[in-house]
């Protein structure tokens, strides 16, 4: 009665006394009912922390006495309380618990127990008013009202569950269609990127070689002496074929073990006495994806070419180290060195930086005039063979 009159302080005082009496009588069922009523009084009095505290206690006693309807009611109350408090994550959690318990209560095997507990729950919730009024006529009316309300609640909840399931099914269909479109777009983008990569490989390497050979052959066809000796053209043709085979090898292998990649490097530079490729340090079973292998080879190729052409180096050492999912490639030479403070370092180094950036890696240049140069590239790897 005090709660209906919005005298929540008095309602809370009396409910605390009720809980004490029921605790003395070891009436856990009655404690659960009084505790959820106390929680609702705190909630109506805008004391959210206390309301949540007693709602959680009511949920505990509801589990002790196996009172699903009270637990369900408590979850619904907790959802509303956390929503009012602005904690929407917990509000959603308790709403999901409410919906899940609601489903189980309406299970056919539990329908009889649900009906009995629903009547008992509604009767106990009205116990305080019944004791105050103490009139049989009011008890009968309240029983009838409780039955009607229980039936209405069952109908509303059943409709809500049906509507919720329909909405979930529609949402899943929409999400599935969206995911399918997204995957198709990703596949098209990956295909386009692969086309661009293959085009760049052929243009940057094979294309430049063939253009030079074509120009030399055209000079011979016109009756003039080629600017490059025939022996050099033949050698360049052999290098073009080797470069094409290497490019095809890189493209035809979706992934390559680091030890095999290092072997290809050794084979590629075996005819150049100034270049020495060391064995792999660390984990030689680390795996390079197709694009990573291609970028790494071009980086090493660019670094070695710079050392031989521009630094007049008599020795270039290439060393690969794999450890903890990271790959480090170093290119050291004994050449003339360079001024690392100069921002304008040529297109070769710019291309090298661009490729390192595509690998999400880092490039470090250590050099002094007359003391050689060391390039260190480091980037994360994908995985290793089991």
């Amino acid at each position: 009665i005090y709660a209906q009159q919005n005298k929540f302080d008095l309602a809370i005082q009396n409910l605390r006394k009720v809980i004490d009496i029921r605790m003395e009588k070891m009436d856990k069922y009655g404690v659960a009912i009084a505790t959820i009523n106390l929680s609702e009084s705190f909630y109506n009095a805008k004391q959210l922390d206390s309301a949540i505290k007693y709602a959680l206690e009511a949920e505990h006693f509801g589990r002790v006495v196996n009172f699903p309807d009270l637990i369900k009611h408590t979850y619904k109350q907790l959802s509303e309380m956390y929503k009012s408090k602005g904690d929407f994550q917990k509000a959603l959690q308790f709403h999901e618990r409410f919906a899940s318990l609601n489903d189980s209560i309406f299970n056919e095997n539990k329908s009889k127990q649900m009906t009995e507990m629903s009547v008992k729950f509604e009767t106990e919730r009205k116990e305080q008013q019944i004791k105050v009024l103490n009139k049989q006529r009011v008890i009968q009316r309240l029983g009838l009202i409780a039955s009607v309300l229980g039936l209405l609640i069952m109908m509303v909840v059943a409709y809500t569950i049906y509507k919720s399931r329909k909405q979930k099914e529609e949402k899943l269909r929409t999400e599935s269609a969206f995911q399918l479109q997204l995957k198709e777009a990703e596949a098209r983008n990956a295909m386009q990127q692969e086309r661009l990569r293959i085009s760049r490989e052929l243009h940057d390497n094979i294309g430049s070689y063939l253009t030079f050979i074509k120009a030399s052959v055209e000079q011979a066809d016109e009756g003039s002496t080629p600017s490059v000796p025939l022996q050099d053209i033949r050698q360049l043709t052999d290098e073009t074929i080797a470069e094409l085979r290497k490019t095809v090898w890189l493209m035809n292998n979706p992934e390559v073990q680091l030890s095999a990649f290092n072997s290809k490097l050794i084979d590629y530079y075996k005819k150049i006495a100034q270049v020495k490729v060391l064995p792999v340090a660390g984990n030689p079973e680390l795996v390079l994806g197709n694009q990573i292998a291609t970028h790494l080879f071009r980086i090493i190729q660019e670094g070695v070419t710079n050392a031989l052409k521009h630094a007049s180096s008599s020795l270039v050492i290439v060393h690969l180290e794999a450890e903890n999912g990271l790959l480090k490639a170093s290119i050291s030479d004994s050449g003339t060195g360079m001024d690392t403070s100069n921002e304008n370092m040529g297109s070769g180094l710019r291309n090298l930086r661009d490729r390192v950036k595509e690998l999400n890696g880092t490039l470090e240049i250590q050099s002094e005039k007359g003391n050689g140069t060391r390039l260190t590239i480091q980037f994360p790897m994908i995985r290793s063979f089991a």
Side-chain angles (χ1 to χ4, degrees):
I1 291 173
Y2 281 135
Q4 291 176 352
Q5 293 176 347
N6 294 330
K7 298 178 180 180
F8 300 114
D9 290 342
L10 293 174
I12 289 169
Q13 291 176 14
N14 281 279
L15 284 168
R16 289 184 185 276
K17 294 178 182 178
V18 170
I19 292 173
D20 291 340
I21 294 171
R22 291 194 179 274
M23 289 293 288
E24 290 177 0
K25 294 179 176 293
M26 300 298 291
D27 181 6
K28 295 180 180 179
Y29 178 84
V31 170
I33 294 294
T35 303
I36 190 59
N37 288 336
L38 179 59
S39 172
E40 291 175 353
S41 295
F42 274 117
Y43 178 63
N44 291 327
K46 309 300 182 183
Q47 300 182 35
L48 291 179
D49 291 338
S50 296
I52 291 171
K53 172 187 174 183
Y54 286 102
L56 291 172
E57 289 187 8
E59 189 261 355
H60 167 73
F61 284 110
R63 289 187 179 279
V64 171
V65 299
N66 191 22
F67 197 165
D69 271 315
L70 184 139
I71 297 171
K72 179 190 72 173
H73 180 77
T74 303
Y75 286 156
K76 185 176 180 181
Q77 288 295 108
L78 283 166
S79 178
E80 291 296 328
M81 292 172 185
Y82 278 116
K83 181 180 178 182
S84 298
K85 195 175 181 182
D87 191 342
F88 297 107
Q89 183 176 1
K90 286 190 177 180
L92 177 60
Q93 290 175 357
F94 281 105
H95 180 76
E96 289 174 345
R97 292 184 187 180
F98 164 77
S100 175
L101 185 56
N102 221 15
D103 287 343
S104 66
I105 289 176
F106 280 95
N107 187 283
E108 183 178 354
N109 295 331
K110 298 293 182 179
S111 60
K112 182 177 179 181
Q113 180 184 359
M114 181 206 69
T115 303
E116 293 173 354
M117 294 301 291
S118 177
V119 173
K120 188 174 182 181
F121 175 67
E122 292 297 334
T123 302
E124 286 293 332
R125 280 176 57 82
K126 304 298 181 180
E127 184 181 33
Q128 298 304 318
Q129 294 178 352
I130 294 172
K131 287 184 177 180
V132 173
L133 299 174
N134 198 21
K135 293 181 179 180
Q136 186 63 34
R137 182 171 56 85
V138 176
I139 295 175
Q140 292 175 350
R141 287 181 180 179
L142 289 175
L144 179 61
I145 292 172
S147 299
V148 173
L149 287 176
L151 180 60
L152 290 174
I153 290 173
M154 290 172 63
M155 294 173 63
V156 170
V157 170
Y159 176 77
T160 302
I161 293 172
Y162 170 79
K163 194 72 174 178
S164 176
R165 287 179 177 173
K166 282 289 186 182
Q167 291 174 348
K168 287 181 180 178
E169 290 175 359
E170 184 63 28
K171 183 179 179 181
L172 286 174
R173 283 195 293 269
T174 303
E175 289 180 350
S176 297
F178 173 75
Q179 290 296 329
L180 180 61
Q181 293 175 357
L182 184 61
K183 288 181 179 179
E184 290 176 352
E186 289 176 348
R188 288 194 297 270
N189 182 63
M191 186 178 298
Q192 180 63 21
Q193 292 298 322
E194 186 66 11
R195 289 171 179 166
L196 291 174
R197 185 179 68 81
I198 293 173
S199 174
R200 185 172 68 177
E201 285 297 313
L202 294 175
H203 177 272
D204 290 352
N205 298 281
I206 311 303
S208 60
Y209 286 166
L210 292 178
T211 299
F212 182 79
I213 294 171
K214 178 176 180 292
S216 300
V217 172
E218 286 177 348
Q219 287 180 346
D221 289 341
E222 293 171 357
S224 60
T225 302
S227 58
V228 179
L230 185 60
Q231 180 63 31
D232 291 346
I233 295 175
R234 185 178 293 109
Q235 181 180 353
L236 183 59
T237 303
D238 292 339
E239 291 177 0
T240 303
I241 294 171
E243 181 71 16
L244 180 59
R245 287 174 178 170
K246 178 191 66 61
T247 301
V248 171
W249 178 79
L250 286 172
M251 291 177 180
N252 286 340
N253 289 277
E255 54 185 28
V256 59
Q257 201 168 1
L258 185 58
S259 57
F261 179 86
N262 202 63
S263 297
K264 284 289 180 181
L265 275 180
I266 294 172
D267 183 64
Y268 185 77
Y269 286 113
K270 66 183 180 181
K271 294 182 179 180
I272 304 176
Q274 301 98 311
V275 181
K276 182 176 182 181
V277 180
L278 300 181
V280 176
N283 180 14
E285 296 183 351
L286 206 66
V287 171
L288 290 79
N290 177 283
Q291 295 185 28
I292 291 178
T294 301
H295 280 308
L296 181 58
F297 191 91
R298 296 304 179 208
I299 288 169
I300 294 172
Q301 190 179 45
E302 187 73 41
V304 171
T305 300
N306 288 342
L308 295 175
K309 280 188 176 182
H310 306 299
S312 302
S313 178
S314 60
L315 177 63
V316 181
I317 298 176
V318 179
H319 189 207
L320 300 179
E321 300 178 64
E323 187 105 333
N324 299 324
L326 294 175
L327 180 62
K328 182 167 70 174
S330 62
I331 305 167
S332 305
D333 67 67
S334 60
T336 57
M338 67 175 71
D339 182 6
T340 58
S341 63
N342 184 6
E343 293 295 331
N344 186 16
M345 301 176 72
S347 60
L349 281 178
R350 282 198 299 272
N351 292 338
L352 194 148
R353 288 185 187 277
D354 291 340
R355 288 189 181 273
V356 172
K357 185 177 181 181
E358 290 191 39
L359 293 176
N360 294 320
T362 59
L363 170 63
E364 181 182 358
I365 303 175
Q366 297 172 308
S367 181
E368 292 182 6
K369 287 290 186 178
N371 291 324
T373 302
R374 178 183 176 89
L375 303 180
T376 303
I377 302 97
Q378 182 171 289
F379 56 91
M381 292 302 299
I382 305 302
R383 62 180 178 82
S384 59
F385 283 120

